Amino acid sequence: MNRESDQPSWGFLRSKRWAGYTGLVVVFSIVCALLGQWQFDRRAQARAEIARIDANYANAALPLEEVLPSLDAYSDDDDKWQTVEMTGEYEERVLLVRNRPNQQSVGFDMLALFRTDSGNVFVVNRGWIDAGNTPDEPGKIVAPPEGRVTVHARLKESEPEIPGRETSGDMLATINLNDVADLVEQPTYTGGYGLLSAEFDAATEEPLSAEAGILQPKPERDEGPHLSYALQWYVFIIMAWIGLAYAIRMEYRSLYPQSERTKRQDKKTAERKQRRGLDDGEIEDALLDAHR
């Protein structure tokens, strides 16, 4: 009996169930696309950082006032890693930044206050030191050299504040230059600070071998796995739609096993199996059936 309802139709896709499945795949695809774009953005940021390293790290030192014409100047990261030169004297006061990692240990960064000949204070990170007997106390604090010196330092931007962590005396939670300026209470550069590169006697221009902490090495030129992660998210989108299409196909076959479409698909499947022969699993199944 050929009733109209028995005729093959894709009308079942208009049901609430299949609308829900399709909506779920659409939402999943949107989320994956956003995550993929986020990874592309992170890759772009990493490549921009590599470009800054290549452009600035090996440059000759430029006068500090030329790179930072005002105390709060910082040129959208374009000046990052540029070596700046300044002449003046270190102050005796040293600030410490806690919870700074170095390989397998956590210690402190030493911040020296360098008073330039112009009278402004520039913050110089003189390297990392290990903790002492307790994690909250530093080990040996190395004093900066005395007298007039010329300093070369690679420029970095001020770090943001960390919620829930506060400055305690001369102990900082992060290298936030506004916090440093509040502590120093003197005209202080807040647009950027410097990672110590070299020091020279201002009178003789001879390099100084003053002891310092462990200096930060040259940053790696590594963009990370962001490209592969981004592509993976788009592969997930393709897999989701393939899965939906497969589910629709299986639903159609279960509803209309005798339809011409289903018969043609079964015939093609049988012909493919015949051309390639039986696989090991099918041979084992046939042998088991023969002995039953």
Side-chain angles (χ1 to χ4, degrees), residues 8-30:
S9 170
W10 297 102
F12 66 90
L13 294 177
R14 293 193 293 269
S15 67
K16 292 183 178 180
R17 179 165 62 92
W18 280 103
Y21 292 159
T22 304
L24 184 62
V25 172
V26 169
V27 172
F28 177 79
S29 300
I30 293 173

Side-chain angles (χ1 to χ4, degrees), residues 249-261:
R249 178 176 180 271
M250 297 306 295
E251 178 88 352
Y252 181 92
R253 288 174 59 84
S254 66
L255 290 175
Y256 309 111
Q258 300 302 321
S259 70
E260 291 300 322
R261 177 187 290 271

Side-chain angles (χ1 to χ4, degrees), residues 37-147:
Q37 186 58 51
W38 173 60
Q39 289 292 344
F40 278 128
D41 291 342
R42 293 191 64 188
R43 178 174 183 256
Q45 294 171 6
R47 291 173 65 86
E49 178 68 5
I50 292 173
R52 281 191 290 268
I53 295 171
D54 293 342
N56 296 337
Y57 199 87
N59 280 355
L62 298 176
L64 175 63
E65 291 79 5
E66 178 180 329
V67 181
L68 298 181
S70 63
L71 296 181
D72 59 353
Y74 196 78
S75 179
D76 297 330
D77 278 346
D78 290 341
D79 295 326
K80 187 176 182 181
W81 304 118
Q82 170 64 50
T83 301
V84 294
E85 180 182 84
M86 68 212 86
T87 301
E89 296 184 0
Y90 282 109
E91 296 193 355
E92 294 183 1
R93 186 179 185 184
V94 175
L95 306 179
L96 297 173
V97 189
R98 60 182 181 270
N99 296 324
R100 306 295 281 196
N102 180 63
Q103 295 181 348
Q104 302 300 321
S105 301
V106 176
F108 302 83
D109 276 355
M110 294 187 299
L111 302 184
L113 306 176
F114 188 83
R115 182 177 296 280
T116 66
D117 287 343
S118 62
N120 298 320
V121 173
F122 184 80
V123 177
V124 178
N125 187 335
R126 290 182 54 78
W128 181 91
I129 57 174
D130 202 350
N133 297 327
T134 64
D136 297 330
E137 295 293 335
K140 182 181 179 182
I141 298 179
V142 182
E146 299 178 353

